[in-house]
Amino acid sequence: MKKFPLSLPKLCTVACAVFITACQSPSRPQNTADSLGQDENEYPQEMARVVSAFQAIRSDSAFLRQFGPATENKFKLLSREFPLVLGDFDADGDPDAIASFSVLGPEDERIYYAVFLRNKDSLRLTQVLPRGGNNATPFLTLSGLDEKGLVWGEETSDSLAWTVIYKWEGNGLNEVSRAPKPDVPK
């Protein structure tokens, strides 16, 4: 009997992602901030701030040194997932954001998370976390922020999966916990 290439948890995750994407309406903003206690009327403002912050980093010299010039690469905010995580990561009382973006180069596409901290009324890029790329292993999926300021996610690689937790420490999100996800009994 041939082994199916996806485990049940991965298959469920993919099915849920496809369902959520199919149900998204371009005329209605997706309120992924519900678990963070954000008012629905504030969400479009946060989206606009993330778009503005992303536009600013596309011309930032430090950002372009890291990813190459815009003449060679295309930078795109992944709006279906965005803002991915909203909340107060650094415990300063102001909501911060994590958004997913891609860098499309001449040979491949790489996907990253941009970590933005609130600076008065705008967001500024403070960190870039690799998410993965086309057929990349491992692939990181951040899912939310809890009441303690911990960013939760899942990292998958081939048939393995880990629950990962990030915490704001010093000047960035650092991984503080990694636990393998149990295989589903067959």
Side-chain angles (χ1 to χ4, degrees):
M1 185 161 144
K2 187 176 180 181
K3 185 178 178 187
F4 192 73
L6 290 176
S7 66
L8 185 58
K10 275 188 178 180
L11 186 59
C12 290
T13 301
V14 170
C16 287
V18 169
F19 178 74
I20 290 168
T21 301
C23 292
Q24 286 183 339
S25 167
S27 63
R28 186 189 77 212
Q30 299 299 309
N31 195 358
T32 57
D34 280 348
S35 64
L36 306 174
Q38 289 215 292
D39 186 294
E40 191 170 319
N41 295 327
E42 292 179 81
Y43 188 71
Q45 291 176 340
E46 292 305 316
M47 287 177 52
R49 286 185 181 112
V50 171
V51 169
S52 177
F54 186 74
Q55 294 300 332
I57 66 170
R58 291 172 61 174
S59 60
D60 182 73
S61 59
F63 179 80
L64 293 176
R65 271 194 306 275
Q66 182 176 0
F67 296 104
T71 55
E72 293 177 14
N73 296 303
K74 293 185 180 182
F75 306 104
K76 179 181 175 188
L77 196 58
L78 301 179
S79 58
R80 281 190 194 169
E81 306 171 3
F82 124 129
L84 183 63
V85 180
L86 295 174
D88 188 12
F89 312 137
D90 59 353
D92 67 353
D94 294 324
D96 308 307
I98 298 176
S100 186
F101 71 96
S102 70
V103 178
L104 181 61
E107 297 175 16
D108 65 349
E109 180 177 26
R110 297 170 315 261
I111 303 175
Y112 298 89
Y113 290 114
V115 180
F116 295 99
L117 288 186
R118 171 86 51 198
N119 186 6
K120 297 187 181 175
D121 200 32
S122 64
L123 295 170
R124 67 177 172 80
L125 179 71
T126 58
Q127 184 179 11
V128 173
L129 295 172
R131 176 177 174 182
N134 292 346
N135 301 320
T137 56
F139 192 81
L140 175 65
T141 305
L142 297 178
S143 56
L145 179 74
D146 69 12
E147 65 281 348
K148 297 177 184 174
L150 300 175
V151 178
W152 287 73
E154 180 179 286
E155 189 174 287
T156 56
S157 176
D158 298 324
S159 62
L160 303 174
W162 298 268
T163 298
V164 291
I165 302 173
Y166 289 85
K167 182 178 181 180
W168 187 265
E169 294 176 336
N171 59 355
L173 286 174
N174 294 310
E175 186 179 308
V176 294
S177 175
R178 171 180 293 266
K181 294 187 90 166
D183 284 339
V184 175
K186 295 178 176 148

